[in-house]
Amino acid sequence: MLSRSAFRQATRQSWLQQRRGMAAPASGSFQYQVGEASGIKFASRDTPGPIGTLGLVAQAGTRYEAFPGLAEGLKKYAFKNTDRRTTLRIQRESELLGGSLVSTHSRENLVTGAKFFRDDLPYFVELLAEVATQTSYRNHVMQEEIIPLIALDHKKFLASTSAMAMSSAHALAFHRGLGNPVKPSSTTPYVKYLTADALEEYAQTAYAKPSIAIVGNGVDHAELSKWINEFFGDARKSPLQQLTSPQSKYYGGEERIAHGSGNSMVIAFPGSSSPTGGFYKPEAAVLAALLGGESTIKWSPGFSLLGKAAQDAPSMHIATKSNIYTDAGLLTIAMNGSATDIRNTASKVVEALKGIAQGISKEDFQKAKALAKFKELEYGSEPQAALELTGAGLVRDNKPYQIDEVAKSVDSVTEDKVKQLVKEALENRASVSAVGDLYILPFAEEIGLKV
Amino acid sequence: MSYLSLAPFIQKRPWLLRWMRPLSRWYFDNSGYRKLGLKADDLIPEESESVQLALKRLPPKEAYDRVFRMRRAFQCSLAHQLLPQNEWTTPDQDYPYLEPIIKEIEAERTEREDLESMIIKKRTTSSAKGGH
């Protein structure tokens, strides 16, 4: 028979073990719990710590925008005047509560969110509901606050060759949809298409219940459900216009843009979709780690093939990234530096790719797999980790982005899969874009790629 | 735009409003600006920051019409003439198009001043549960 003191000791021990959560999260603590409240899908995970993060992910990025510039406009209009309170009041109240407001947009999603102390969850759920349903879109706010900022973004984009090259590579790869430019490169998007009325219509399409998902880190699942039910009850049940985007198709091609300051070149191949989508290939992450370019160890070129290839050009910056979207992906190799360095290194990049198609050394492969898995888990330990990806996955496919499963699937990659990926990439069209001194920067044919 | 006015006092009492309305109509008709084709809001003095900002926020059509009315009235004043009666502003055309914008701007200003002179009390843990 259990004595009372033994029982008390057992409960005290289990309570202490729960308190240990902050030091060593168990492997299951990265998992998201999915639910539905008031017609809106939401996911949360109760990570330890005093800070909570909440994000409203709307499927309304540049891929889905009805006209150019609307996604950027809507992102900049977040947390501005609503029907109930003014911009200034929202800012001051959030500052007093010690929270910070976040509004970003990517190629596929519009993320409006906040970071706050856990106790303030109801306030910020209410604030996000107001932003989604009650923002008042006025012309004078557009003219005074939003359009000058977009004009500055435009100037910043035109000054950055790496941003231009990346945007151009996406446009070549996907044409419309995912290829829509994120930042404006001319005044047309914000002068011709961006008005307060257009934004209001777009907001009624973007912030409807079927196209949003709410993701929380460090919040309690039941609490979040309760507050969503209370505040999001009167969001629109169906969007004003159906924003559809057809399945992304990869095209490929070459684009060369003259630029007076800076040189960049981006070589891109079809990659893997997000794990929540249908075209997930974990070998793309391993390939990105294998090609690499940026060493994780200072003052050493690292084991990655492109890091070694770029050893002769120390002032050049080369980076490989596997960009994942819901139904497609792009593996990009971006080079920034002087034009002659890029010319010399570009052919070495293609040689490295052809080398992989023939064979990979076992040691390099092991290192690449380990690095891919490490980066995945490191990303997962950030508080905002996978907020956007989970939201997008929930809206489109009803599946959250579970970090543990992704890390496990990286383990299952074999050398043959990586070789296959590279072979297909080299046989089909690549997307090559060069920005800078076009006299020196090479054509795709010159470095051996097919476009 | 901060002057003492009995207008809010009267507008809250419908019986008083009914009594005062004919007097008010007679007063507006006799002030004469309608005979020059102007609206009441054209007469608001522009030399203040709130009004300058409100003028920037006017919709394009209202701004254009305002400029036209002012030019026409100035011409009448030069010629020491009134407009023919069919061109006088009618009472339903004489609606306040600028005043609501000015009030909005003033409200924003006072809100900013209120928020800046706010006294902040530190939260106690007992009141911390349940948000703001």
Side-chain angles (χ1 to χ4, degrees):
Chain A
M1 174 174 139
L2 276 175
S3 66
R4 280 178 68 170
S5 60
F7 185 65
R8 212 178 297 140
Q9 211 160 13
T11 47
R12 188 163 158 271
Q13 266 177 359
S14 70
W15 176 74
L16 277 175
Q17 267 167 4
Q18 278 172 6
R19 285 290 300 273
R20 270 189 72 237
M22 212 185 281
S27 65
S29 72
F30 287 146
Q31 291 288 97
Y32 273 104
Q33 272 179 291
V34 181
E36 186 164 327
S38 168
I40 300 174
K41 299 180 204 122
F42 73 98
S44 77
R45 60 182 185 189
D46 204 350
T47 49
I51 304 286
T53 317
L54 196 63
L56 177 77
V57 183
Q59 197 187 42
T62 45
R63 177 178 181 178
Y64 299 99
E65 59 186 7
F67 293 108
L70 285 182
E72 179 85 15
L74 200 61
K75 158 217 161 180
K76 287 191 151 62
Y77 217 106
F79 305 114
K80 297 243 180 252
N81 293 324
T82 67
D83 289 336
R84 272 202 232 143
R85 39 189 167 165
T86 58
T87 314
L88 183 67
R89 201 185 168 90
I90 294 176
Q91 295 293 331
R92 293 285 169 100
E93 283 180 353
S94 323
E95 280 172 13
L96 279 174
L97 288 174
S100 81
L101 302 170
V102 160
S103 166
T104 54
H105 87 286
S106 67
R107 283 183 188 270
E108 295 197 300
N109 308 297
L110 194 67
V111 181
T112 356
K115 296 184 257 189
F116 45 87
F117 287 108
R118 291 178 78 124
D119 294 330
D120 297 326
L121 178 64
Y123 175 84
F124 284 96
V125 179
E126 186 181 7
L127 179 61
L128 286 180
E130 257 186 60
V131 166
T133 55
Q134 290 177 9
T135 311
S136 79
Y137 296 93
R138 306 284 303 280
N139 251 321
H140 68 87
V141 178
M142 298 286 303
Q143 296 298 325
E144 288 169 19
E145 296 177 34
I146 307 243
I147 291 188
L149 289 180
I150 301 186
L152 287 176
D153 260 343
H154 168 209
K155 284 208 177 96
K156 188 176 163 195
F157 176 76
L158 286 179
S160 156
T161 50
S162 47
M164 286 177 80
M166 197 54 94
S167 170
S168 153
H170 277 88
L172 287 168
F174 298 114
H175 289 191
R176 299 192 188 268
L178 282 172
N180 284 340
V182 175
K183 298 280 176 198
S185 54
S186 75
T187 54
T188 317
Y190 57 94
V191 165
K192 187 171 163 193
Y193 295 109
L194 196 59
T195 60
D197 297 324
L199 261 194
E200 183 154 6
E201 279 181 20
Y202 190 57
Q204 287 180 337
T205 314
Y207 289 129
K209 283 187 190 179
S211 30
I212 57 174
I214 300 180
V215 184
N217 280 342
V219 298
D220 182 46
H221 194 79
E223 283 270 320
L224 187 59
S225 171
K226 178 174 115 189
W227 295 118
I228 293 178
N229 268 321
E230 178 156 343
F231 294 122
F232 276 90
D234 45 343
R236 280 186 71 100
K237 288 200 176 43
S238 66
L240 193 67
Q241 302 160 344
Q242 273 300 101
L243 286 179
T244 49
S245 177
Q247 169 67 36
S248 301
K249 191 169 165 268
Y250 178 82
Y251 294 89
E254 183 176 10
E255 186 173 7
R256 293 163 65 80
I257 306 171
H259 200 280
S261 58
N263 298 284
S264 292
M265 190 160 175
V266 170
I267 304 174
F269 301 106
S272 136
S273 79
S274 162
T276 54
F279 300 92
Y280 180 51
K281 293 185 208 141
E283 47 267 23
V286 178
L287 181 60
L290 182 60
L291 287 169
E294 289 172 320
S295 167
T296 49
I297 298 168
K298 231 176 171 180
W299 309 125
S300 116
F303 76 93
S304 59
L305 300 174
L306 295 184
K308 287 185 209 145
Q311 261 180 303
D312 299 330
S315 58
M316 200 188 75
H317 183 244
I318 180 165
T320 316
K321 188 162 186 253
S322 163
N323 301 296
I324 53 178
Y325 306 108
T326 43
D327 59 355
L330 203 63
L331 187 78
T332 54
I333 303 167
M335 291 171 268
N336 291 310
S338 77
T340 29
D341 280 343
I342 294 181
R343 189 194 180 91
N344 296 333
T345 319
S347 31
K348 289 190 196 158
V349 167
V350 181
E351 272 169 34
L353 281 167
K354 290 183 178 153
I356 294 179
Q358 269 147 19
I360 320 170
S361 90
K362 202 158 181 303
E363 197 187 326
D364 278 347
F365 185 69
Q366 289 299 332
K367 286 184 186 174
K369 254 174 84 165
L371 186 61
K373 192 169 173 187
F374 172 76
K375 278 202 183 316
E376 210 44 74
L377 288 172
E378 185 193 35
Y379 177 65
S381 63
E382 285 172 26
Q384 280 104 291
L387 206 85
E388 187 185 330
L389 286 169
T390 304
L394 279 176
V395 174
R396 198 170 166 116
D397 305 300
N398 216 1
K399 277 193 282 181
Y401 184 81
Q402 304 284 27
I403 305 265
D404 293 344
E405 289 168 12
V406 173
K408 266 187 225 143
S409 54
V410 173
D411 279 337
S412 67
V413 173
T414 58
E415 290 177 24
D416 287 330
K417 284 193 200 159
V418 176
K419 278 204 285 198
Q420 181 63 23
L421 189 65
V422 174
K423 272 193 200 135
E424 279 171 19
L426 287 173
E427 275 163 26
N428 297 322
R429 296 170 71 183
S431 313
V432 181
S433 84
V435 179
D437 184 353
L438 294 182
Y439 177 63
I440 302 178
L441 288 174
F443 280 86
E445 298 286 320
E446 288 172 11
I447 52 176
L449 282 173
K450 196 171 129 188
V451 278
Chain B
M1 292 281 287
S2 55
Y3 47 84
L4 290 172
S5 169
L6 279 176
F9 178 84
I10 295 173
Q11 277 164 344
K12 277 190 207 131
R13 291 154 180 77
W15 56 272
L16 203 55
L17 195 59
R18 238 183 315 127
W19 276 98
M20 297 294 287
R21 195 171 273 140
L23 180 66
S24 145
R25 277 201 201 115
W26 175 86
Y27 179 83
F28 273 109
D29 285 336
N30 270 288
S31 33
Y33 64 86
R34 288 185 185 168
K35 295 175 188 160
L36 291 174
L38 292 169
K39 296 188 185 176
D41 279 2
D42 295 339
L43 305 175
I44 297 176
E46 291 180 16
E47 291 85 2
S48 96
E49 281 191 19
S50 312
V51 182
Q52 287 292 321
L53 189 55
L55 289 174
K56 286 198 188 110
R57 290 189 186 181
L58 269 182
K61 181 176 184 305
E62 296 278 5
Y64 180 84
D65 286 345
R66 177 193 157 91
V67 172
F68 169 74
R69 285 195 301 274
M70 286 187 160
R71 297 179 82 182
R72 183 175 60 177
F74 192 68
Q75 185 60 37
C76 287
S77 147
L78 280 179
H80 292 278
Q81 299 280 339
L82 293 178
L83 285 178
Q85 199 152 2
N86 60 343
E87 287 183 30
W88 289 2
T89 322
T90 61
D92 24 277
Q93 282 176 345
D94 194 6
Y95 59 87
Y97 63 89
L98 193 59
E99 214 181 295
I101 305 178
I102 297 176
K103 285 214 158 47
E104 231 181 64
I105 295 170
E106 293 288 315
E108 282 172 20
R109 279 227 171 106
T110 39
E111 188 192 42
R112 183 177 283 266
E113 284 167 12
D114 287 341
L115 284 172
E116 295 203 347
S117 56
M118 180 169 56
I119 300 170
I120 306 168
K121 279 190 276 198
K122 200 165 174 182
R123 273 201 288 206
T124 54
T125 41
S126 56
S127 64
K129 290 279 173 210
H132 72 305

